[in-house]
Amino acid sequence: VARTRRAGATANVRWLDPEEERAWRAIATLIHRLRWALECQLEEDAGLSFIEYHAMARLSEEPDGTLRMSDLAAVTNASLSRLSHLVTRLERWGFVRRRPDPLNGRFTQAILTDAGYRKLAASAPAHVAAVRELVVDAFTSTELGQLRALSGRIVDRVDASRWKQLPT
Amino acid sequence: VARTRRAGATANVRWLDPEEERAWRAIATLIHRLRWALECQLEEDAGLSFIEYHAMARLSEEPDGTLRMSDLAAVTNASLSRLSHLVTRLERWGFVRRRPDPLNGRFTQAILTDAGYRKLAASAPAHVAAVRELVVDAFTSTELGQLRALSGRIVDRVDASRWKQLPT
DNA sequence: CAAGATTGATCTGTCAATCTTC
DNA sequence: GAAGATTGACAGATCAATCTTG
C-alpha cells in the first residue's frame, strides 16, 4: 500500500505488516486483473462490456424480461446516470427497449427484446466458460464456499462504510 | 451469470449450479464494490485516483524514487499509454517529473518529487485505514492467508489464460 | 416538491498512429 | 527496424443540472 514512513508520515498509523501487505496486494491485483480479463473476454467474444452483458443477463432473469431502471441500476451496481447512457446504447443496438411503467409513470421500464435474448443466448456460453476457467473450476466446492464467505465479509464491510453509496 | 437456457442456448454448456452461481456473484460483487469504495476514499481524502496513488506509492518504494515508465506500467497493471497520460497529470500537479534515462535514452524515468513524497505521506494514513477497515481487519491472520492464496490462484489462472495480456 | 430518470459537460481510458533512440 | 514512449481521436463514466410525474 504505502511504505511511506520514511517520507515523513510520522502519525500513529497502524501500517500493514509484511503478511498483511502481501494479502492486500494479492486482493488488489485480483480485483484489477480479473475484471480486466472478463471485460476482454466479453468484448472479444460478444462485443459487449461487462456491465452491458450483466444488465441484459439480469433482465433475462425476470419472467417478463423487464425491470425498472432504478432496480436494474441497483442489481448491476451502476449509477442511474450510467445505466441510462448504457441503455441508450443497448436500445440503439436493438437489444433493449424502454417505456414508462404503466403502473406509475415516474418509473421507466427497461425491457429485453427478442434480439436481446438471442444476443445473450449467443454470448452466454463463452462467458460462462471463462468464469469457469478463471474462477469456478480453480476450486473445490469447499474452497468456493470459503471464497464466497470471505468475499461476502468484505462486501459487508463496504456496505457498513461511508463509501457504500453508489453515485447519483 | 446467465440463466439463459430458456432463451435458447441449448449447446452443451456446463452452466453454473446454484452453489457456484452464488460464489461467483459474491466475487463479482467484490471486485466491483471494493474497487469503488477505495476509489471514493482516495478521491475524497486525497483527490487522487486509485491508480494515481499507487503509481506514486510504487515510486516511493524505490530508493531514488525513480522507475522507468515501462516498469511502472507493469507494476501498476496499467498500459503504457494510460500511464503516460496519467503521469502527464501528476507532472502538471508537481508530484512527478520525467527525464530520459541517462543510461539508455530509449527509456523514460518517472521520478517522484519532494511535493510528491509529501502528498503521499499526507494521503497514506487515511488510505491504509480504509484498507484495514474494509479488508485487513475483517479477518484473522489465518483467514488473510487463505484469502491471499485463493486470490493468487485466480490471478494465476488469468495469467495462464488468453487474456493475460495488458493493453498497449 | 421529492423521486425517478435523462441530458450535457467534462474527464479518463483505449486504440491506433506516430515519434525517438538504439 | 524494433522497443519504449507519446499523442490525438474517440468511447465510456461521472457529476451537476434539468426534466417529468405523482
Side-chain angles (χ1 to χ4, degrees):
Chain A
V1 162
R3 195 88 30 59
T4 314
R5 272 147 290 193
R6 93 181 136 278
T10 51
N12 51 351
V13 180
R14 285 178 53 225
W15 301 99
L16 302 184
D17 69 35
E19 192 60 40
E20 293 170 334
E21 176 88 20
R22 252 176 299 157
W24 163 237
R25 287 217 178 162
I27 296 163
T29 302
L30 171 72
I31 63 182
H32 190 286
R33 305 282 298 277
L34 179 55
R35 181 89 191 199
W36 175 263
L38 291 168
E39 292 280 3
C40 284
Q41 180 274 314
L42 281 168
E43 188 54 50
E44 287 173 21
D45 295 340
L48 294 172
S49 72
F50 192 77
I51 190 164
E52 287 163 353
Y53 177 89
H54 280 273
M56 292 174 61
R58 288 299 190 146
L59 287 178
S60 81
E61 289 167 13
E62 298 300 314
D64 50 359
T66 299
L67 227 38
R68 292 171 173 173
M69 289 293 283
S70 39
D71 293 336
L72 186 55
V75 295
T76 53
N77 291 313
S79 70
L80 209 42
S81 140
R82 179 183 186 183
L83 184 66
S84 184
H85 284 297
L86 181 162
V87 168
T88 300
R89 232 176 303 152
L90 293 177
E91 220 171 4
R92 191 163 54 230
W93 298 337
F95 298 147
V96 168
R97 62 193 182 82
R98 270 190 271 218
R99 70 163 184 217
D101 188 327
L103 299 177
N104 184 337
R106 272 200 300 201
F107 297 98
T108 301
Q109 292 182 323
I111 307 172
L112 195 62
T113 63
D114 288 349
Y117 276 109
R118 286 194 301 272
K119 177 66 175 173
L120 204 48
S123 311
H127 183 57
V128 174
V131 170
R132 281 207 171 278
E133 175 183 343
L134 301 181
V135 181
V136 174
D137 288 352
F139 302 106
T140 66
S141 78
T142 305
E143 289 171 331
L144 260 192
Q146 285 178 1
L147 197 49
R148 176 163 77 85
L150 297 172
S151 299
R153 190 123 41 110
I154 294 175
V155 172
D156 289 344
R157 289 266 180 151
V158 172
D159 281 336
S161 79
R162 69 185 224 254
W163 306 288
K164 64 175 168 193
Q165 192 127 277
L166 288 171
T168 316
Chain B
V1 162
R3 195 84 36 58
T4 314
R5 272 149 289 195
R6 89 178 141 279
T10 50
N12 51 350
V13 180
R14 284 177 53 225
W15 300 100
L16 301 184
D17 69 36
E19 192 59 38
E20 292 170 334
E21 176 88 20
R22 251 176 300 157
W24 163 238
R25 287 219 177 160
I27 296 162
T29 303
L30 171 72
I31 65 181
H32 190 286
R33 306 281 298 278
L34 178 55
R35 180 91 192 196
W36 176 260
L38 291 168
E39 291 281 2
C40 285
Q41 181 273 315
L42 281 168
E43 188 54 50
E44 286 174 21
D45 295 339
L48 294 172
S49 71
F50 192 76
I51 190 164
E52 287 162 353
Y53 176 90
H54 280 272
M56 292 174 59
R58 289 297 191 146
L59 287 179
S60 79
E61 290 168 11
E62 298 301 315
D64 50 359
T66 299
L67 227 37
R68 292 172 173 174
M69 289 292 284
S70 39
D71 293 338
L72 186 54
V75 295
T76 54
N77 290 313
S79 69
L80 207 44
S81 137
R82 179 183 185 182
L83 183 67
S84 184
H85 284 299
L86 181 162
V87 168
T88 300
R89 233 176 304 155
L90 293 177
E91 220 171 7
R92 191 163 55 230
W93 298 337
F95 298 148
V96 169
R97 63 192 182 85
R98 268 190 273 216
R99 72 163 181 215
D101 188 328
L103 299 178
N104 184 337
R106 274 199 298 202
F107 296 98
T108 302
Q109 292 183 324
I111 306 170
L112 196 61
T113 63
D114 288 351
Y117 276 110
R118 286 195 301 272
K119 177 65 175 175
L120 204 48
S123 311
H127 183 59
V128 174
V131 170
R132 282 207 170 278
E133 175 182 343
L134 301 181
V135 181
V136 174
D137 287 352
F139 303 106
T140 66
S141 78
T142 305
E143 289 171 330
L144 260 193
Q146 285 178 1
L147 197 48
R148 176 163 78 85
L150 297 171
S151 298
R153 190 124 39 112
I154 294 175
V155 172
D156 288 345
R157 289 265 179 155
V158 172
D159 281 336
S161 78
R162 68 185 224 254
W163 306 287
K164 64 176 167 190
Q165 190 126 281
L166 286 172
T168 317

